[in-house]
Structures are given as C-alpha cells and as structure tokens.
Amino acid sequence: MILEPSYGDENLYEATMARFDRAAQLLDIDRGLYKIIRYPMREVTVYLPVLMDNGQIEVFTGYRVQHSIARGPAKGGIRFAPDVNLDEVRALAAWMTMKCAVVNIPFGGAKGGVKCDPQHLSEKEQEKIIRRYTSELLEILGPEKDVPAPDMNTNEKHMAWIMDTYSMHARQTVTAVVTGKPASIGGSRGRREATGRGVMIMCQQAAKWLNFDLSKSRVVVQGFGNVGSVSAMLLDRLGCKIVGVSDIQGGIYSENGLNIDALFEHIKKHRFLKGFPGTKEVDNKGLLELPCDILIPAATEGQITAENASKIHARVIVEGANGPTSVDGEKILDERGVIVIPDILANAGGVTVSYFEWVQDRMGYFWREDVVNERLEDVLVPSFHEVVEYSTRFQVNLRTAAYMLGIQRVVDTIKTRGIYA
Ligand code: NAD
C-alpha cells in the first residue's frame, strides 16, 4: 500500500495525518478503510454575536469538528484561544478518536474551539459566548451524538452553561450532554483531577518499565493549569522533586524542589507563578531545557521541536498537553533514546473519567471518588502495556505504537459494522 508522503511539520493537521499515514502503512490495512479515518466526518463553523460588557456587539468564530462516530458518540473538549483555527481543531478531533480507541472506551472523536482571548473577557462575556456556541450547534450535540468537555481556558463553569443551554432547548435536564461539569449538576467525582492523575499513572508505569525509582525523580512541568498543576501535586505526593514549573507568563525553578502546596496558595493570591519566593525565574523555552528526569509538557502544542529537542535533559517525556512535540523534534528525541509517552495515551485520563461521568449520568447513580480513581487505573494501566507491546512487536516508538493500536481498533469497528458498504 502506498500512501501520501510525510507533509513535514508546518501544519498541525498535516503533521498529524503524516503520523497517521505512517502507522497505517505499518499495519498494512485496507487503503479504502483507512481513507475513512483519514478525513473528518463533519466540520462546522459558527459565528457568535455577543453583546459585550461595554455595550458593543462583537462576533466570535467557533468551530466544532466531529472526526469519527464509528465507535460511539463523538467526544472532545472545547477550547477558548485567540489563535485557534480549523486545522488545529481538526487535528485535535482526530487525536480524540485515536485516544478513545487506545484506551478502548466507546467514543469517537471531536473537538471544538472559539477564537477569543479569555484573558480579556469577563465571566459574563464568556458565558454568553459558550451559550451561543451551544445554541448554534444544538442539532449535532447530545449524549448519543457529541459530548463536549473542558479544554484550554474552559472549565466546569463553561460545562455547566452548556448543559443548561442544551437542557433549556430540550425542555428537560440532559446532564449527559457534556462532561467535566460541577459534581452538583451531574459531574463525576475525580474528573477535575483525572488528566493529571493519568499523567501520574503513566509516570509510575514508565518508571516500572524502565526500572527507575520514581520517588527519586526530578520533574519539570510546563503549564500550571488543570493538567500541569494536578500532575505536579500528585507526583509531589509520591515523593518526586518538582524542580520547575511554568505558566503563560514564564517559569520558576528551584534545584531543591518547589513547595507545591505553597505554590497553590501563591496562585490563589497572585494568579500567576511569577514572584514565588525562593525560586529563580526561567522563561518557557529555558524551562524545557532544565536538568530533570521527567519532563511534562502540559501547556500547548509545538513546544518541543527540532530547535530544542537536542537540549532536553529529561529521560522520559510524558505529554500532558496535546501535540507538544513536533515530528522533527521527535526524530531527534528518538535518536537520543528519550522515551516519549505520547499525548493520546498520557493525557487519556481526562476522557476516561469523562466516559465514567457520561455512564454515571445515564445511570443516575454516582460513584465514590476512590471507585472512580481505581477504575481509571484499571483502564490506563493495561492501555500503557498494550502500547508498549505494539512498540516492541513492530519496533516503533510509543507514539507510532499508540496510533497503530488506535487505527487498528477504529478500522476493525468500521469493518465489523460494515458502514463503508
Ligand atoms: P488550562 O487552561 O487549565 O492550563 C493551561 C496552562 O498552560 C496554564 O498554566 C497557562 O498559563 C499555560 N500556558 C498556556 N499557553 C502557554 C504557552 N504558550 N507557554 C507556556 N504556558 C502556557 O488547560 P489544561 O486543561 O490544563 O490543558 C493543557 C493541555 O492539556 C492542552 O494541550 C489540552 O488540550 C490538554 N488536555 C487537557 C485535558 C483536560 O482534561 N483539561 C485533557 C487532555 C488534554
């Protein structure tokens, strides 16, 4: 089977497809079947008029891409970001399909985004944007169709507004239309921490597999939002030394390890990490190059590239963020023997507990937090080993192995359903 050549690194979607192509070639699957998952199922662009606090009307652009519903309802977060674009959302939607397949939960893949700068929007304005976004997409959302969740710059408040808007139109409360909601309106215990907890589980599995003592490891975390801060907190509790962390304004570093509890207090008061006492300042570029054993990029895409991959000290990179490593960057890491636990496995804890939330909403019966955490581990640990097994069997890195496992599962489902006939 001959597929299109690699596209290089310029465009996130094309770079993602180049990785899909390579994995598909190694699997030697039917080219026609592969074509189905190479393209998104549906893409919608919406324009959202909003009356701003200053009395002016602004129109925001929003996207929703449903990549696949072969294995179940489309599933994926919604991000607010000034530079979000259709190609980025497309790539993220395709990753969601793979992610859900790798951890073997019954969802397809989707993603959404609204082009806006949340740093300059009031809470009321954000509420109006997400409510309008939900109204515009009403027909294609739903517990059996497409189930959004939080992503960059959106959180449980936004999810509550989505649930309420959808329910208003449905004339009944539909909790299962969205995950990552507050527990008081049908959210799952443990969902807020789930992605970071998954990152921690991956670190534990990697340490066992590579035979090093996790409790003696030095860790650097880029991004101190939902994923980064919880990863740092849980690894700190396991005895790791968190030596560096950052947010969008820059990073802080301490060779002796940061006091994570005090850091949370600092953020409550000052919003950003900057100025945390007893630490050295470092920019986001420098942060990635700090001496450490484990690096957790948990901010955004394209952070590890051909430019800095040779300067990274970490032995293991656990991708909390989606798409933090470029294709060229990864080649260099591979040559240097740096192990990368890829995003579609490393941050799959979030979507796994989102799945639990959806299940609980549909049952109307809610689980204890320790039950959620235990079931999360039950899903992630075998998934880690399945990816390692593919990697050994096909002699490929963990990312290609994860793509292969994901593509194989989606293609098998399509074949069994016969929906291509
Ligand atoms: P968040 O908005 O809660 O936090 C993002 C953090 O990264 C913040 O500290 C922000 O200041 C920082 N940041 C943003 N842009 C940056 C930049 N250019 N350089 C350095 N720091 C920057 O977002 P989140 O939910 O923690 O998501 C982070 C990443 O994890 C994203 O790639 C997201 O797609 C991915 N992810 C999130 C979840 C989830 O459940 N929240 C699940 C899977 C994957």
Side-chain angles (χ1 to χ4, degrees):
M1 177 177 65
I2 300 162
L3 292 166
E4 286 81 353
S6 166
Y7 293 93
D9 232 351
E10 295 83 29
N11 173 301
L12 193 64
Y13 180 65
E14 294 305 346
T16 303
M17 286 308 120
R19 282 170 165 163
F20 268 46
D21 291 350
R22 177 165 149 64
Q25 270 170 337
L26 291 165
L27 282 170
D28 198 23
I29 50 174
D30 179 88
R31 183 174 160 75
L33 277 177
Y34 173 61
K35 264 192 200 161
I36 299 178
I37 52 173
R38 203 183 182 283
Y39 297 96
M41 183 193 76
R42 176 191 276 153
E43 302 175 350
V44 183
T45 302
V46 289
Y47 298 95
L48 315 167
V50 169
L51 183 63
M52 307 298 282
D53 293 350
N54 64 6
Q56 306 277 311
I57 292 172
E58 212 44 81
V59 179
F60 296 91
T61 307
Y63 307 101
R64 187 74 183 165
V65 175
Q66 295 174 340
H67 175 261
S68 170
I69 56 162
R71 288 170 46 87
K75 183 88 192 82
I78 298 168
R79 61 173 52 177
F80 278 5
D83 52 357
V84 71
N85 59 67
L86 191 53
D87 264 340
E88 175 184 329
V89 179
R90 255 187 212 138
L92 289 159
W95 281 330
M96 283 307 296
T97 303
M98 290 306 128
K99 196 180 294 184
C100 294
V102 164
V103 292
N104 212 0
I105 57 177
F107 283 135
K111 204 77 181 192
V114 179
K115 205 172 168 59
C116 64
D117 186 355
Q119 288 205 64
H120 298 111
L121 291 170
S122 69
E123 194 169 288
K124 197 73 215 159
E125 289 166 339
Q126 294 194 35
E127 178 177 352
K128 287 181 185 173
I129 292 173
I130 202 79
R131 283 189 183 275
R132 192 79 193 204
Y133 178 85
T134 309
S135 299
E136 291 303 326
L137 295 174
L138 216 61
E139 289 83 3
I140 64 163
L141 300 180
E144 307 298 332
K145 295 180 182 174
D146 183 354
V147 185
D151 195 70
M152 262 168 68
N153 295 314
T154 59
N155 55 41
E156 48 182 41
K157 274 190 195 166
H158 300 82
M159 299 307 114
W161 294 323
I162 293 175
M163 192 279 256
D164 183 62
T165 308
Y166 186 88
S167 298
M168 277 162 59
H169 286 85
R171 299 246 172 261
Q172 65 188 65
T173 295
V174 187
T175 52
V177 66
V178 73
T179 59
K181 303 177 289 295
S184 58
I185 57 164
S188 175
R189 295 186 177 94
R191 172 60 185 90
R192 211 191 74 75
E193 298 81 13
T195 310
R197 181 170 293 278
V199 167
M200 176 203 75
I201 293 169
M202 290 299 141
C203 292
Q204 287 175 316
Q205 295 310 309
K208 270 192 207 159
W209 177 48
L210 300 169
N211 203 17
F212 68 87
D213 185 352
L214 185 59
S215 68
K216 293 203 172 73
S217 302
R218 292 162 307 159
V219 180
V220 167
V221 184
Q222 185 196 42
F224 208 71
N226 174 290
V227 181
S229 69
V230 175
S231 304
M233 177 189 72
L234 294 175
L235 287 167
D236 176 64
R237 283 193 200 151
L238 290 181
C240 297
K241 204 184 269 183
I242 313 298
V243 292
V245 294
S246 72
D247 58 31
I248 195 154
Q249 299 215 333
I252 52 172
Y253 172 61
S254 165
E255 237 172 61
N256 301 323
L258 301 160
N259 180 335
I260 299 297
D261 292 336
L263 204 51
F264 275 104
E265 288 305 314
H266 175 84
I267 290 209
K268 256 192 226 158
K269 270 194 219 144
H270 306 283
R271 198 165 153 215
F272 295 105
L273 297 161
K274 234 178 176 174
F276 185 62
T279 57
K280 289 179 201 154
E281 280 189 17
V282 55
D283 61 17
N284 262 297
K285 192 169 165 283
L287 181 100
L288 299 171
E289 297 165 16
L290 287 173
C292 64
D293 305 297
I294 300 176
L295 173 63
I296 302 175
T300 188
E301 294 92 35
Q303 297 301 299
I304 301 168
T305 64
E307 240 178 72
N308 62 0
S310 58
K311 297 179 203 147
I312 282 168
H313 285 82
R315 179 178 180 198
V316 180
I317 297 176
V318 183
E319 294 183 336
N322 286 310
T325 311
S326 76
V327 175
D328 293 343
E330 183 165 67
K331 271 187 207 143
I332 297 170
L333 295 174
D334 279 347
E335 280 159 19
R336 296 182 52 226
V338 179
I339 300 289
V340 180
I341 318 272
D343 45 12
I344 59 168
L345 173 66
N347 67 35
V351 75
T352 304
V353 176
S354 274
Y355 163 55
F356 296 161
E357 181 171 329
W358 178 77
V359 169
Q360 292 171 80
D361 285 339
R362 284 158 31 117
M363 286 198 296
Y365 177 66
F366 292 87
W367 312 340
R368 288 196 319 265
E369 188 166 345
D370 60 311
V371 173
V372 171
N373 292 344
E374 192 186 318
R375 288 180 179 171
L376 173 63
E377 216 167 316
D378 288 348
V379 169
L380 292 186
V381 173
S383 302
F384 176 88
H385 292 291
E386 277 175 302
V387 171
V388 168
E389 195 272 321
Y390 261 66
S391 150
T392 314
R393 181 162 22 125
F394 292 96
Q395 290 296 295
V396 292
N397 69 17
L398 295 179
R399 188 185 316 278
T400 306
Y403 276 123
M404 290 173 75
L405 177 60
I407 289 173
Q408 186 72 65
R409 285 202 171 128
V410 179
V411 164
D412 283 350
T413 309
I414 297 173
K415 219 169 163 175
T416 311
R417 289 179 54 159
I419 59 170
Y420 57 93

